[in-house]
Each structure stands twice: as structure tokens, then as C-alpha cells.
Amino acid sequence: MASEDSPLWMLLDEGQQMLASTAAQFLSKSAPVGRLRELPRAPGADGFSRALWAEMAELGWLGLQIPEAHGGLGLGFFDLAIVLEASGQTLMPEPFVSTLLLGAQALLLGGTDAQRARYLPGVADGSRLLALAYDERGMRGDLSRLRASATREADGFTLRGVKPHALDAHVADAIVVAARVEPGDAIGLFIVPRDAAGLAIEREQRMDLLNAATVRLDAVRVGEDAVVGPLETSEALLSAVLDRARIGLSAQMLGAMERAFEMTVAYLKERVQFGVPIGSFQALQHRAARLFIEIALARSSVLAAARAVDDRPAEVPRLAALAKAKCGEAFWQVAAEAIQMHGGIGMTAEHDIGFYFKRAQAAEVMFGDGATQRRRWAEACGY
Amino acid sequence: MSEAPPLTEFRDEIRAWLEANAPASLRGTSPCGPFDGYWGGKKHPPVDPDVLRWRDLCLERGLTAPTWPKAYGGAGLDRDHAVVFYEELRAMGLPRPVVGFGFAMIGPTLLEFGNEAQKREHLPRICAGEIRWCQGYSEPNAGSDLANVQMRAVRDGDHFVVDGQKVWTSHADKSDWIFCLVRTDPTAKKQRGISFLLVDMDTPGVTPREIELISGSSPFCETFFEGVRVPLGNVVGEVNSGWTVAKALLGHERSMIGQSIGRAPGSGQRELVAKARHHLGAAEGPLPDPLLRDAIAHNGMDEEAFQLTLARLAQTREAGASPGSESSILKIAATEMKQRRYTLGMRIAGEEGLGWTDDGFDAQDVDFTRGWLRSRANTIEGGSSEIQLNIIAKRVLGLPDGK
């Protein structure tokens, strides 16, 4: 149920406003959405720009939320969400979600001191990329159906299983793997270095131009020191990590829908038919106005959820579901209307707006679709 | 402008005063919205003496209209102090001492546009809840196209003679005075020939008649004017410049509507869940109908996203900035959400929602059904959804006018 406390503070302070405008300006210039056409998709290619990633590390953006002891700036998740929103505007395929949200959050929330010291400084300076491999074919995020196994050995575990669609696993230096511990029933998280024997990674090609790979674990041996978070609480840890990913992805979706909407409103003003700009037709004006309403509501959900990570952890599961569901719906609606309002040109590969439509569908189904979020919300609200 | 103490001190002072004085019978009875309180007027039916005692207590301190100047019966507080006062009322569940269109609409408009005589005549009587006001804006041919008002006011010596008809005048039958838009120059273009006129409802020739709505209730009237003589001194602002005054008043109306749409967080969802548990016979656990559960969650999420947006805009104002373009979404978002909530409630009630009276039905379900019917007006009154969308499209998005 809704909190009785005063509402979460949703405004950006002066420094955060500056961060938002700097990030938006910088990324619009150095990462225009059109580059999605050129980023190499051939096997072996990264599918994103390592140079740009390094530049963002220079600017401090990759370590915003990482503690100073590990080479970061020690700011909040809210600050990270600001950069994520900016990165969403041009649909950047750089490994934000995999490295900063999934990998780094798992270590921040559950990693041992040694694991943090080993990986986080590299995340902050851009030299290390991380990934999380948890979902399986047919599992759809339902952890009770997770089949990958971690067999207990005298000196560690042997991992077996297949994990498709693991974001950025093709470039990750280490992959956090979710597997069911045998004997027993607990789900454990294990951090596996990329060069581990028995680990095979096959690059996938996605329509939305995010990068992902299928991770095959064929008797991969890891030591006790690979366990992330005590085994007894790994499942809760995984849920918390996924909630943060939902919120961070929602911030990117917010940026994306804002930009797609801007492009569409601009087009309505410039495209002339019947001797007038099509934006003078009320049929289109009202539909555009409805998109504006949906975006404003989605924005509040994202800002509140991101703030909750820093200030009210107990509210995170409910607000993560809210942000993901609202953004999923709004982004999809904006992107679909964007294509319709652009008309024929919007259907061409030459125009950028199609990228937004593809990403809207991808983002809607990642980390649980709208119906899944509403089920989680209802559970959190006691019905 | 205010001589009031700092906010925290003021809050303590108000709280102590309320603790000591507010009638016990009224505590915990009201959400303290802009429509929750004593509507006043000479035609008010007999009322609990505590309501009048509460009004008198506040009136003595100027607190029935906290931000109005003391000279006119207010307390001369600034906006922040007034907010603190209402927060404390809300915290104790107390109704507002006086509510209505006098306090919320014509009062602030007179403060801005009225002359000294008008302020002295009307404002103290609004503060006291002595006079109830209604709004004479819409006409049969002037709804969304408000500037098309046709009701004539023709000058005759030191009076105007008014002939015509107003419609959707809320509670005209219970009101003592009406503020009207009248056409004083039929030759001028639309907005140019309109004047803003105050009319005593007791003047011969004024006849309100109730309109029955599909919900069975009659919150609105049509009001007829036949040879109604109104002193020239009752024009607010200049003759033929009433449109400016009219627009300012619409701003106050929007603000009143804006205040009325804040509800207790999560209350809509709680109501729907309780309704579903009742009608589905599921006292606890997950609701047995997954489609209904999904629909309730959808509505609950919409409600939360809206509440958060209200809070975000309030925070923006608190931080001293203008909430800007996003406040234009509130009216349409709130009213459409309310309609979806009622529609879902009707789906939950099924045939139990078909009652008109409690013969064969639960009174609670009947009330809900009538509320559902009434809610259909919410997207029409106070600026229809289509007008709201026009405003967003043109003023916020800057889309061009049609030919």
C-alpha cells in the first residue's frame, strides 16, 4: 500500500540539473541515434563504442554511484538514473544495464569485500564490463522454474546450464550466473570470469540493437570465493538487483520516449499536407496531447522509484513495478504513434524513428512485461 | 505583507488553538477538500449548531478566508501560512469553516478586479458564509465556446436590463447571488462585447429551474432572466471588458478543481479491492479473478502515478519554481482516471450494481452506481477533456491553429 510518509522528493538539485543537461548535450552530439545503423553487427564486433565508454568513465559517469573507496564518486542511484535517462534519449547500446545495473548492483548489494575490490574500480574507470545471466528459455523471469545447476564440490561448485539473452555477455569480463544449488533448493549467484574453462558465449543479433549473448555453462568450476551474497539470501539479492535494473531501464525508457515524442511534435509542425502543417489537424493534436500526459505520469514514476532506492528501500519493489509498467505502456504508445504520425517515412530504415519502436517492444518485455509488473504490484499491495 | 509568525511557530499556534477550540463532533469527519465544509447562504437548510460554532470561531480570527485582507474579513496571511492552516485542519479531519464559489471563485476575482464598494459589500458576507454564490457562465449555445454568450444586458438609465438564459448553473436554486457573463455590445466581436455582472438572485425576473441528471441528482440548474434590472454599479471591471475578468475567474475555478482532485494516496485502490473482496467472496489472499486483479492493479498504478505527479508539481512550487506546462494535464488525467475507477467498480459489482434504490440492492452499491453515472460529467464540466487537449496541444506543444 502507499506510504503514509510524505511523498518521495522527485526534484533534481542544482548539481543534478547540471549533470542532466551536460549528459544530454554530450550524448546527443557524440552518440546520435543514427549511429545504430553503422555500429558493426558482424560476429566479433562489440556493437557499441568502447571509446565512448572510456570517455564517459573520464567524466565520472560510470562510477557515479560506486563508493569512493572503489574509485567512484559515492553519489546516489538517483544520480545514476539521471545519466541513464540521457543515455536513453539516443538509445545508446553501451553496456549501462549489464555493467552498471545488473553486475555492479549485485556486487554493491551482495559482493564480498574482495569481489568489490576486484571488480568495482574497473567498472568505474571503464576497463571492466560485467553481465548477469539469470533467465532461461521458458522461464520468463519465474525463479521457481530456473534449471541451471550449481553442484556443490569439496572446494567450490560446478555450474551447468544455458542462459540465453544475457545482455552484453559477449564483451563482459565477468558474468554473474544464477543457478540452483545442489543438493538443496536455494538459488545462488556466482561470479564467473570470462576465461573460465567450460564457459561458451555466443553472440545474438537483436532487432532493437541492444547486444546480448547466449551463455553456456558446461561444467564450469568455480571456488567458494565466486559466491555473491550468502547463499541463503541470494534469491532476495537477485530480486533486489532486478528491481534496480527495472528502475534504471525505466529511466532509459523515459529518455527514449521523450526524444521520440520531440521528434514527432517537430514533424507535425513541419510536414505540410493539404497546404497546412499536419499538426494543425485536431485529430493529431489531441493524440499528441495524450502522449504528453502519459509521459508526465511516467516521469513521476521513474523519479520516485529512483529516489526510493536511495531513501526508502522498503518501497523499491512496488515502485520498480510501477515505473516499469508505466514506462512500458507509455514508451510503446509514444513509439507506435510516432511511426503513425510520421507516415510512410517512419516505416523506412532510413528514418531514425523506427529504432524507437523496436526498442519500445524490447524494453517492454525485459525484466518482466506490464502484466508481470502488475501482478508483482498486486502482491506487494496485498491482493 | 504578512505580520504572521514564522511557519513552524504558526503551525504550533494553530494546532494548539484547534486542539482547544475545534468542536469535538467535527473532528475526524472531513477530508477538508475545497468542497468539504459549510456552503452557507440564506437558503441553507437547518444545520448542526457545531458547524455554525466552528464557522464563528474561525471567522473571528479571519480564518474562513485566511489569505484575504483583514479589512474584508480575512486574516491577511500569505499563501504558505494558509497552506499550514489547511494542513492542520486536514490532520485533524476538520471541515473547512466556509466553502463555495464565493470563497473560491468570485472572492479572489473581486480582490483583483472589484472596486472598493464591491469589495466592502460582498467580501465580508462571503467570509461569514452569509451569501452563497453561483456561476452564470454557460448558455445553451455557449459551452466549450464560452465567448459565444448571448444573454443581453441593455442599459436603461443607471441600470442594465438583462434578458436571456444561463445553463449548468451549479446550485442556482440554493444560491443568493450569481456572477454572470452578459453581452453588452452585440456589434463587437465575440470576446470584446462581454461584461461581468453581479446579480442578486432575489431580483424580480430571475428564475432557476433544476436539471435532473442521469444519476438522478440535480446539482445544476438552468436559470432564466426576464427583464431583470441590475444596477450599473454591479459591473466588475469595465463595461465590455468582462472577458479578462472571466478568464481570471476560470483560473480560480481550475485551482479549486485542482485542489479537489487530491485524494488520500491509494484510497481508490483500497476501495476497489474491498469491493472485489465483497462481491467475489474472497476475504483474503490473491483475488480469485486474475483479469480483475490485473485491472485493479492497472488502476492502482495509474492512481499512484497521478498522486506522484501532483506531489512533484507541489514540490516544484515549494522549491520556488513554476510547475509549468505539466500542470495542464491534471484536470483531464484526474477525471478520466476517476471514470475508469468507477467503470471498473461497476464491472466488479456486476448485477449488484444495477440498483436504482435500495429495494433489492445494497445502499452502498446504489450510491456507487449513482456516483458512476455522475462521474461521466467530470470530463465535460469545468473545461471538457477536448478543451484540455486543445490547451496542451496549442499552449504546451505549440502546435499550429487550423485554417
Side-chain angles (χ1 to χ4, degrees), chain B residues 23 26 37 54 65 71 90 114 149 152 158 200 215 251 253 284 286 295 317-318 333 369 378 386 394:
Chain B
L26 300 182
W54 171 228
R90 203 166 301 125
V149 289
R152 293 278 298 272
D158 53 2
D200 184 339
S215 62
E253 180 178 19
E284 54 191 24
R317 275 190 299 271
E318 217 174 288
T369 298
N378 297 148
E386 289 71 21
K394 293 190 175 132

Side-chain angles (χ1 to χ4, degrees), chain B residues 114-144:
Chain B
N115 60 35
E116 194 53 34
Q118 288 166 342
K119 291 184 204 175
R120 294 216 174 265
E121 178 181 3
H122 297 293
L123 296 180
R125 295 199 289 166
I126 292 171
C127 289
E130 206 176 291
I131 296 297
R132 180 167 176 171
W133 285 83
C134 61
Q135 180 179 24
Y137 267 39
S138 296
E139 293 180 9
N141 289 312
S144 287

Side-chain angles (χ1 to χ4, degrees), chain A residues 8-10 269 276 280 282 285-286 290 296 299-300 318 322 326 329 374-375 377 379 381-383, chain B residues 269 277 286-287 293-294 297-298 301-302 304 308-309 312 315 326 336 390 397-398 400-401 403:
Chain A
L8 285 150
W9 189 254
M10 283 166 272
K269 291 178 186 174
V276 292
S280 65
Q282 198 179 40
Q285 289 184 344
H286 283 192
R290 286 199 176 275
R299 183 176 298 122
S300 308
R318 200 175 58 87
L322 173 71
K326 287 302 288 182
E329 226 173 337
R374 288 191 289 277
R375 197 177 63 232
W377 163 279
E379 278 162 12
C381 293
Y383 63 92
Chain B
Q269 175 170 272
R277 292 207 181 285
L287 294 175
R293 187 184 188 218
D294 181 79
H298 208 150
M301 284 182 163
D302 285 352
E304 173 104 1
L308 287 170
T309 304
R312 182 160 62 85
Q315 289 169 359
E326 283 184 306
E336 291 191 349
N390 283 348
L397 304 180
D401 283 326
K403 255 194 211 168

Side-chain angles (χ1 to χ4, degrees), chain A residues 335-373:
Chain A
E337 284 286 61
I339 294 222
Q340 179 68 23
M341 292 183 187
H342 275 83
I345 190 75
M347 280 302 294
T348 64
E350 189 193 340
H351 200 283
D352 290 342
I353 201 70
F355 290 124
Y356 289 86
F357 183 68
K358 293 172 185 170
R359 184 65 62 80
Q361 175 60 23
E364 161 64 12
V365 299
M366 288 164 70
F367 308 120
D369 64 6
T372 307
Q373 304 308 330

Side-chain angles (χ1 to χ4, degrees), chain A residues 47-356:
Chain A
F48 71 96
S49 162
R50 284 189 188 261
L52 190 53
W53 192 250
E55 233 177 310
M56 291 188 290
E58 277 301 303
L59 289 163
W61 296 348
L62 306 187
L64 276 176
Q65 184 222 0
I66 289 173
E68 289 174 83
H70 297 305
L73 296 178
L75 300 174
F77 189 88
F78 192 84
D79 300 270
L80 174 57
I82 290 169
V83 170
L84 289 170
E85 182 185 342
S87 75
Q89 292 181 351
T90 56
L91 306 176
M92 291 178 69
E94 275 64 23
F96 292 100
V97 175
S98 55
T99 299
L100 302 188
L101 293 171
L102 297 170
Q105 302 304 323
L107 296 176
L108 283 169
L109 286 167
T112 61
D113 289 342
Q115 287 166 346
R116 292 185 201 196
R118 181 166 173 198
Y119 292 106
L120 292 180
V123 168
D125 71 18
S127 63
R128 273 184 194 272
L129 302 176
L130 302 173
L132 173 73
Y134 79 106
D135 210 4
E136 297 172 15
R137 200 151 265 141
M139 185 179 123
R140 294 218 165 197
D142 176 359
L143 294 179
S144 70
R145 290 192 280 171
L146 186 143
R147 285 172 313 199
S149 61
T151 313
R152 201 180 277 281
E153 314 280 355
D155 56 348
F157 299 86
T158 300
L159 307 179
R160 292 186 183 83
V162 183
K163 305 275 186 180
H165 317 322
L167 286 173
D168 302 315
H170 66 309
V171 289
D173 298 291
I175 301 173
V176 178
V177 173
R180 199 171 291 283
V181 177
E182 295 172 344
D185 199 34
I187 289 172
L189 294 178
F190 305 86
I191 188 159
V192 182
R194 140 168 232 98
D195 54 8
L199 183 67
I201 295 169
E202 296 149 18
R203 174 85 191 269
E204 300 170 358
Q205 298 288 348
R206 289 166 60 121
M207 65 147 182
D208 61 310
L209 298 174
L210 285 180
N211 301 297
T214 299
V215 175
R216 290 181 196 278
L217 302 135
D218 184 12
V220 174
R221 296 293 305 266
V222 293
E224 292 285 350
D225 61 353
V227 176
V228 181
L231 283 181
E232 310 80 62
T233 55
S234 302
E235 197 167 329
L237 170 63
L238 179 56
S239 296
V241 169
L242 292 174
D243 274 339
R244 290 186 174 197
R246 288 181 184 109
I247 297 169
L249 176 63
S250 297
Q252 287 192 313
M253 294 160 86
L254 176 63
M257 70 177 94
E258 283 166 339
R259 179 58 61 85
F261 183 60
E262 256 171 56
M263 289 165 66
T264 305
V265 170
Y267 188 75
L268 291 177
K269 291 178 186 174
E270 110 203 357
R271 169 71 172 167
V272 172
Q273 286 288 274
F274 306 102
V276 292
I278 59 172
S280 65
F281 300 137
Q282 198 179 40
L284 296 182
Q285 289 184 344
H286 283 192
R287 279 159 52 194
R290 286 199 176 275
L291 300 179
F292 179 80
I293 296 172
E294 292 308 315
I295 294 170
L297 296 170
R299 183 176 298 122
S300 308
S301 312
V302 170
L303 291 168
R307 183 73 75 186
V309 173
D310 295 324
D311 289 0
R312 283 191 214 154
E315 288 200 42
V316 166
R318 200 175 58 87
L319 290 174
L322 173 71
K324 182 65 182 32
K326 287 302 288 182
C327 287
E329 226 173 337
F331 186 14
W332 207 94
Q333 195 181 335
V334 167
E337 284 286 61
I339 294 222
Q340 179 68 23
M341 292 183 187
H342 275 83
I345 190 75
M347 280 302 294
T348 64
E350 189 193 340
H351 200 283
D352 290 342
I353 201 70
F355 290 124
Y356 289 86

